[in-house]
Amino acid sequence: MVIPFADLTMDDIALVGGKNASLGVLTRELAPSGVPVPPGFALTTRAFRSFVAENGLEPQIRGALQSLAAQKLTLEQVGETIRAAILSAPMPATIAACLTDSYRELARQLGQRRPAVAVRSSATAEDLPGASFAGQLQSFLNVRGADALIAASRRCFASLFTDRAIAYREAKGFDQLAVAVSVGVQQMVRSDRAGSGVMFTIDTESGFPDVVMISAAWGLGETVVQGQVEPDRYMVFKPLLERHGVQPIIGRDCGHKSVRLVYGRGEEEPTRLLRTSRRLRERLVLTDDEVLRLARWAVAIELHYGGAMDIEWAKDGPDGDLFIVQARPETVQSGRSRAMLRRYTLQAEAKPVLSGAAVGTAIATGKACVIGSVADLDRFPDGAILVAANTDPDWVPVMKRAAGIVTDHGGTTSHAAIVSRELGVPAVVGTGHATTKIANGEPITLSCASGDRGHVYDVALPFTCEDIDVGTLPVTRTQVMVNTADPGAAFAWWQLPAKGVGLARMEFIIANLVRAHPMALLHPERVSEADRRTIARLTRGHADGRAYFVDTLARGIARLATPWYPHPAIVRLSDFKTNEYARLIGGKNFEPVEENPMIGFRGASRYCDERYREGFAMECEALARVRNDMGFDNVVVMVPFCRTPDEADRVLAEMAANGLCRGKNGLHVYMMCEIPANVVLADDFAQRFDGFSIGSNDLTQLMLGVDRDSEILAPLFDERNPAVTRSIADVIVRAHANGIKVGICGQAPSNHADFAAFLVREGIDSISLDPDSFVRTIHSIAETESRLAKTAPDRRSGRPVKARQAAE
């Protein structure tokens, strides 16, 4: 009837269900190697079947389910009938005795008279690779004493037939009567005095496998699982976890954590929900060392199980120890083909009315159905978009009929988000005001296609969906890389066979994540009172503006450097124009007004100037942190808009003074080749840099004297003009003659297949493309290489003579 966790294996699923079998594996095989798991035991499915048999419940259960199948009774009527029968039946004496004896033995082991335990249902079809059953059965926390344990176990039996569990099994095709329930009894960790949460060993939205995603909130973990709070979120890069002396935490966001679940005042109130104090809301639940410890345990668990995992953890308040309390296979992303990339794209522009965390990567349109409570679920029409305060598991029957889901509260690791992913329903969660801002019955669009932030529009927008088989993409001699800017969308294209990041735009991170002007963060006394208040809100939780800027920028860069590690990630130093800098919070106080910012105070000219030197020092500090502290030595630094060799020398000296010395610790420094002077003086610049990256946009406008933003002159702006192409061809030859690499990160090869072919013919080393043009352009590159290989191949290498000579 009862088996201790330490005696269980995965072969015991039929006896104790997936959840308890997994706890057995953790206890037997991972706890000895340093992954701590609270002790406990499982009441087996034999006990459940004995309970049903001794109380003669099977005919009643079978009859109710047959009435549901015949549509004679509703789901609600059937669930209520079965649960009432189970809850009114007495617990057989043999089962009660087994529970009492096992509880007393656990108390003896722990040295406590009436230890608090968590009592959780574990079904035989639960926590398997094909179905998580997340949140479908019930758990009971802070249960004390044998009598309370027996009562909680009976309620676990009844939870096998909650409406949501019946509906879920029906959706997954499980035989309702073939599924049995076990009960897990586990020592409670006093996380009500500390914190707890969930972690995944895979990015739950994109399927990127090299990160651990951790959510954390104060108190017992049910608030995170049930989506009642916006938790802290951490992201750790797995390949660098074991490198000595580095901390690869690439994401760290402080959530609102508005409520916390704590122990109650007795058996009548085992837990209670409290408002979180402002002090705790603004504090992170975990230290960096604790984040890394959890991530290492997560990787150990993943390696042991041989697949991506969904793990629950808890921190004990009295002694500060961390524990793993559950582990189950991740059932959505890990089951998808890594060769198939599905891309959704909006075909029209609109301003979003709400934003929140994106669940999935799809787009959905439909009429909004705003639901206030479970009592209103019967008015939900098929194909509508469900709008609710939060998506409780009881709502699963309508979730599977929804085109999309929008909630006020919740995070990406709440069980509602897990179920949404499993059902393939896109969701935008934690928007804050969906139920008040969205009108019931109005057409809306929700998009999860632009990264980790989802957006909701108050209009039906057209969109497309494309499936790409990346396994069929050709292999090329030319290194094909990607241009990227948004850390939130960094993993969206990880399946592409790119050879790294050819251009990571630092200014996008500053504009969208930092948001404030670097100098305004350093000197808030020089900005308006309104901007000071905004800066104070932004920097809350950081020591000062400098710490906020460096930390935010560093983690943004690290995320961009992650998807194709260890291939290079070329990060361009900030290249705002003065009018763009002025639009940042506090920016107008630090920027001159220029007639032509395009060729004004931008790029390299700023870095050594007293008006921005302090800001540049922070950029260098962030890059040094990414390379040295986080371990991303694949980051290459690139200097934009460098007008003269003397300016290059000053910038390199300024970088070295701020911890970025070219050549030290393998640091490569590249230069944007985007000014005619860069072409004319290519030999001089090549002595100072490790590589060139051609910026075709600026080079074209300066070579032709055409403002690239001018609608009047737009017909004249053409990167394929001979003046531009001859300059590029010349730079390629001279770069190779000087022994440095040369690539291109401008827009031209993404826009024009013939331009990409020209670059291949000239022997360029790498071409960096916008991700959405990668597939079509890599085919063009491969075709060009194939044609060149057939015309006058070199006998020694098999490469076309012109390309070989250019490379040499």
Side-chain angles (χ1 to χ4, degrees):
M1 291 287 186
V2 173
I3 305 176
F5 289 159
D7 294 338
L8 293 172
T9 72
M10 291 308 290
D11 293 333
D12 295 315
I13 287 178
L15 270 178
V16 296
K19 185 180 298 178
N20 286 336
S22 181
L23 280 169
V25 171
L26 290 172
T27 303
R28 283 170 55 95
E29 302 174 32
L30 285 161
S33 62
V35 180
V37 183
F41 57 87
L43 182 68
T44 69
T45 55
R46 287 174 181 163
F48 170 75
R49 296 191 190 282
S50 176
F51 173 87
V52 171
E54 289 195 37
N55 286 290
L57 295 174
E58 183 173 343
Q60 190 172 354
I61 294 172
R62 185 181 300 277
L65 291 170
Q66 288 173 344
S67 295
L68 176 64
Q71 298 183 336
K72 294 180 179 178
L73 294 176
T74 66
L75 173 63
E76 292 77 9
Q77 290 170 325
V78 168
E80 185 177 355
T81 298
I82 297 175
R83 292 192 301 274
I86 292 173
L87 291 173
S88 63
M91 185 70 78
T94 52
I95 301 175
C98 286
L99 281 170
T100 300
D101 292 345
S102 298
Y103 179 73
R104 287 173 178 167
E105 173 59 23
L106 180 62
R108 188 192 64 77
Q109 292 174 15
L110 298 174
Q112 300 176 29
R113 188 174 67 86
R114 295 172 73 247
V117 292
V119 182
R120 293 188 171 95
S121 311
S122 176
T124 53
E126 184 181 28
D127 291 342
L128 304 177
S132 73
F133 274 73
Q136 302 310 308
L137 276 63
Q138 289 183 313
S139 298
F140 304 94
L141 306 179
N142 193 25
V143 175
R144 291 179 182 271
D147 291 342
L149 174 58
I150 292 168
S153 298
R154 186 190 292 106
R155 284 185 283 171
C156 284
F157 289 169
S159 78
L160 186 63
F161 295 99
T162 59
D163 298 351
R164 63 201 186 208
I166 296 171
Y168 190 93
R169 287 194 293 271
E170 182 182 355
K172 287 291 183 179
F174 286 100
D175 183 340
Q176 299 278 2
L177 285 168
V179 178
V181 65
S182 164
V183 178
V185 180
Q186 186 177 40
Q187 177 199 6
M188 282 284 292
V189 177
R190 288 305 305 261
S191 58
D192 65 313
R193 296 184 182 178
S196 52
V198 178
M199 55 184 175
F200 289 86
T201 63
I202 193 171
D203 178 38
T204 52
E205 309 314 324
S206 69
F208 180 57
D210 286 343
V211 289
V212 176
M213 314 281 290
I214 303 174
S215 295
W218 299 112
L220 304 175
E222 296 302 294
T223 58
V224 177
V225 174
Q226 293 179 6
Q228 292 173 288
V229 296
E230 286 76 49
D232 296 343
R233 293 183 299 162
Y234 310 85
M235 186 185 299
V236 183
F237 186 52
K238 290 192 285 192
L240 293 176
L241 260 176
E242 298 308 318
R243 182 179 293 184
H244 179 70
V246 303
Q247 294 189 327
I249 303 173
I250 63 174
R252 186 175 62 191
D253 300 304
C254 187
H256 189 58
K257 306 183 293 290
S258 58
V259 295
R260 59 193 177 98
L261 190 68
V262 301
Y263 280 13
R265 297 184 175 90
E267 292 184 8
E268 296 301 314
E269 186 191 33
T271 61
R272 55 194 177 119
L273 197 64
L274 303 179
R275 297 290 300 175
T276 307
S277 69
R278 179 174 176 178
R279 181 181 64 86
L280 286 180
R281 288 200 307 268
E282 295 177 0
R283 269 182 55 196
L284 291 164
V285 173
L286 296 170
T287 66
D288 286 355
D289 286 344
E290 289 170 336
V291 169
L292 294 172
R293 197 183 318 157
L294 285 172
R296 290 189 180 101
W297 293 346
V299 170
I301 293 168
E302 179 182 54
L303 289 173
H304 188 84
Y305 279 82
M309 298 295 291
D310 168 1
I311 302 163
E312 293 183 28
W313 61 270
K315 181 178 179 179
D316 188 72
D319 58 24
D321 290 341
L322 293 166
F323 293 89
I324 300 299
V325 295
Q326 281 193 47
R328 60 180 72 86
E330 194 277 339
T331 59
V332 180
Q333 292 293 350
S334 56
R336 292 178 178 169
S337 169
R338 294 189 179 185
M340 293 304 298
L341 177 63
R342 172 165 288 185
R343 298 302 305 164
Y344 287 82
T345 307
L346 283 174
Q347 297 298 298
E349 292 187 5
K351 184 178 180 179
V353 294
L354 291 166
S355 295
V359 178
T361 59
I363 298 172
T365 62
K367 288 186 177 181
C369 184
V370 183
I371 300 289
S373 69
V374 177
D376 299 326
L377 290 179
D378 57 355
R379 67 177 178 81
F380 184 85
D382 288 357
I385 293 180
L386 175 63
V387 181
N390 64 319
T391 51
D392 186 271
D394 284 324
W395 301 36
V396 169
V398 300
M399 290 171 69
K400 68 180 183 179
R401 296 191 283 117
I405 297 166
V406 184
T407 70
D408 292 340
H409 310 295
T412 57
T413 54
S414 66
H415 79 73
I418 294 170
V419 172
S420 295
R421 291 187 198 99
E422 201 165 314
L423 296 175
V425 178
V428 180
V429 299
T431 62
H433 310 287
T435 52
T436 56
K437 281 198 170 184
I438 296 176
N440 187 61
E442 292 300 312
I444 63 171
T445 299
L446 69 86
S447 173
C448 300
S450 56
D452 59 1
R453 296 298 292 172
H455 304 291
V456 182
Y457 306 87
D458 58 359
V459 64
L461 298 174
F463 64 91
T464 59
C465 177
E466 177 187 13
D467 284 327
I468 301 167
D469 186 352
V470 297
T472 64
L473 297 181
V475 177
T476 61
R477 290 189 300 270
T478 307
Q479 299 294 293
V480 185
M481 307 171 82
V482 294
N483 297 330
T484 184
D486 181 5
F491 304 152
W493 301 91
W494 70 271
Q495 292 151 289
L496 292 177
K499 300 304 180 182
V501 177
L503 174 63
R505 300 176 178 92
M506 183 185 287
E507 60 271 11
F508 189 98
I509 303 173
I510 296 173
N512 290 276
L513 297 186
V514 176
R515 296 177 56 206
H517 193 288
M519 298 298 289
L521 291 169
L522 291 172
H523 299 286
E525 74 281 358
R526 293 166 58 182
V527 304
S528 69
E529 178 62 30
D531 284 346
R532 275 200 299 275
R533 287 196 298 268
T534 303
I535 288 172
R537 286 195 298 270
L538 286 174
T539 59
R540 191 174 293 157
H542 294 80
D544 52 30
R546 182 186 193 90
Y548 165 74
F549 180 91
V550 172
D551 187 66
T552 305
L553 181 59
R555 296 189 199 282
I557 292 170
R559 284 190 68 170
L560 297 182
T562 295
W564 293 280
Y565 179 90
H567 292 301
I570 302 172
V571 180
R572 187 175 68 189
L573 295 162
S574 65
D575 192 26
F576 280 126
K577 273 71 77 176
T578 51
N579 60 323
E580 295 168 333
Y581 264 119
R583 288 197 287 267
L584 297 175
I585 296 166
K588 292 180 180 179
N589 300 82
F590 298 93
E591 296 299 326
V593 177
E594 295 184 302
E595 289 293 330
N596 193 344
M598 190 72 77
I599 54 173
F601 187 45
R602 62 175 287 200
S605 63
R606 298 179 64 94
Y607 306 150
C608 305
D609 191 285
E610 290 303 322
R611 283 166 287 195
Y612 190 69
R613 175 176 268 132
E614 291 177 285
F616 183 65
M618 292 197 297
E619 294 185 25
C620 294
E621 184 179 346
L623 283 161
R625 181 177 296 182
V626 172
R627 285 182 51 84
N628 303 329
D629 298 345
M630 296 185 184
F632 289 91
D633 51 12
N634 62 322
V635 166
V636 176
V637 180
M638 184 155 66
V639 179
F641 225 78
C642 188
R643 294 171 169 95
T644 69
D646 287 344
E647 189 172 62
D649 291 336
R650 290 194 297 273
V651 170
L652 290 169
E654 194 73 19
M655 289 173 59
N658 287 288
L660 291 176
C661 184
R662 179 189 171 206
K664 187 175 181 180
N665 296 328
L667 174 63
H668 286 179
V669 182
Y670 284 17
M671 184 194 79
M672 288 288 293
C673 182
E674 54 190 341
I675 301 170
N678 301 150
V679 178
V680 175
L681 301 176
D683 295 318
D684 298 293
F685 284 111
Q687 301 306 310
R688 292 162 168 82
F689 294 98
D690 300 293
F692 292 156
S693 185
I694 298 164
S696 56
N697 294 350
D698 274 338
L699 184 61
T700 300
Q701 79 166 344
L702 295 173
M703 191 65 69
L704 300 180
V706 173
D707 182 351
R708 73 188 202 202
D709 291 337
S710 171
E711 295 181 6
I712 298 172
L713 299 178
L716 296 176
F717 188 90
D718 189 350
E719 301 95 329
R720 296 166 293 181
N721 184 286
V724 180
T725 56
R726 289 178 191 176
S727 297
I728 291 173
D730 182 49
V731 165
I732 293 172
V733 170
R734 288 205 277 158
H736 288 155
N738 283 279
I740 68 171
K741 293 181 178 180
V742 58
I744 188 167
C745 61
Q747 197 71 27
S750 293
N751 292 343
H752 310 294
D754 58 336
F755 191 89
F758 149 73
L759 295 169
V760 174
R761 290 194 300 271
E762 296 303 324
I764 201 162
D765 294 302
S766 64
I767 297 175
S768 192
L769 304 165
D770 294 338
D772 56 3
S773 65
F774 188 98
V775 172
R776 68 171 182 272
T777 307
I778 198 171
H779 282 292
S780 174
I781 290 170
E783 291 168 5
T784 302
E785 290 179 345
S786 178
R787 285 196 301 271
L788 288 173
K790 295 176 182 177
T791 59
D794 177 67
R795 291 179 182 176
R796 290 175 298 166
S797 65
R799 296 181 64 190
V801 173
K802 186 172 183 179
R804 175 182 60 77
Q805 291 174 342
E808 292 173 349

